[in-house]
Amino acid sequence: MTDSQAPTISASNEDILVQSLPTVSRLALVYAPKSARAQTLALLALDARLAHLLRHSREPMMAQLRLAWWRESLGQSAEQWPNGEPLLALLKSWNGHHGGLAALVDGWEAMTGAAPLSAEALETMAQGRGEAFAALADALGRSQEREAALKLGRAWALNDLAMRLGHASERDTARELAQASSGVRVSRALRPLMVLHGLAARRLAKGDESGATSPAAMLKAMRLGLLGF
């Protein structure tokens, strides 16, 4: 998509979406080239929005209802979307490939189950993020990199879950499911995915958030984002 085809979204609304991202996601977005920024921000903002829905829903059923709205919206053409939702407006930059993001909604819905979560639920979450990364490759015209993007998304999800889940058994299961993805490289347009994965793996190895925010982590992000290794 060229700049002239970019979705109509105000700078203030875009800034709100950026500010909704976790720190690591904002850092990863820095390495998106201009031609890929809108699509990448839309994906990261959707992931953050779905996570927020789960955290702020008192009952699993309420979270599931809210997730169902997003699943239904992603199953529609962009022309059917209501006005006034900045995230949907930005998702128009996906040029019809947004349907692939329904798997991300399924992944977050799997996290509404009773604790401790099963290995199947964690697999669904990992696959959902992986499919979302693969859909981003399609949206950016990089379909030949779908498999690499999917592997990065799965690995990011499992490393992230292994750090954040509340039950030790859940964290152990996530670690067991994690698959090595060393050597997976992608083109410049998809480098933010490498940053996300690399910092999640580093955070897990260090055992705390400094693994993603220290000066050494910033250098790692720069190397992954600019050089791809």
Side-chain angles (χ1 to χ4, degrees), residues 73-178:
S73 296
L74 292 169
Q76 299 171 339
S77 67
E79 289 74 19
Q80 295 176 274
W81 290 342
N83 295 322
E85 169 51 73
L87 181 48
L88 286 178
L90 194 60
L91 277 167
K92 291 180 179 180
S93 67
W94 279 52
N95 199 27
H97 292 287
H98 56 266
L101 293 170
L104 183 60
V105 180
D106 294 339
W108 279 108
E109 185 170 19
M111 304 301 289
T112 65
L117 293 168
S118 66
E120 181 180 3
L122 301 184
E123 279 276 19
T124 301
M125 179 58 184
Q127 187 66 22
R129 272 181 164 171
E131 291 290 348
F133 277 28
L136 177 61
D138 289 336
L140 295 176
R142 307 297 303 177
S143 294
Q144 69 273 26
E145 297 185 84
R146 289 189 95 259
E147 189 62 29
L150 189 148
K151 288 180 179 178
L152 285 172
R154 280 185 52 83
W156 168 49
L158 291 168
N159 285 323
D160 189 50
L161 289 172
M163 268 296 294
R164 299 187 184 281
L165 289 171
H167 285 255
S169 62
E170 293 173 339
R171 295 193 296 271
D172 290 343
T173 300
R175 287 189 179 94
E176 291 169 5
L177 292 173

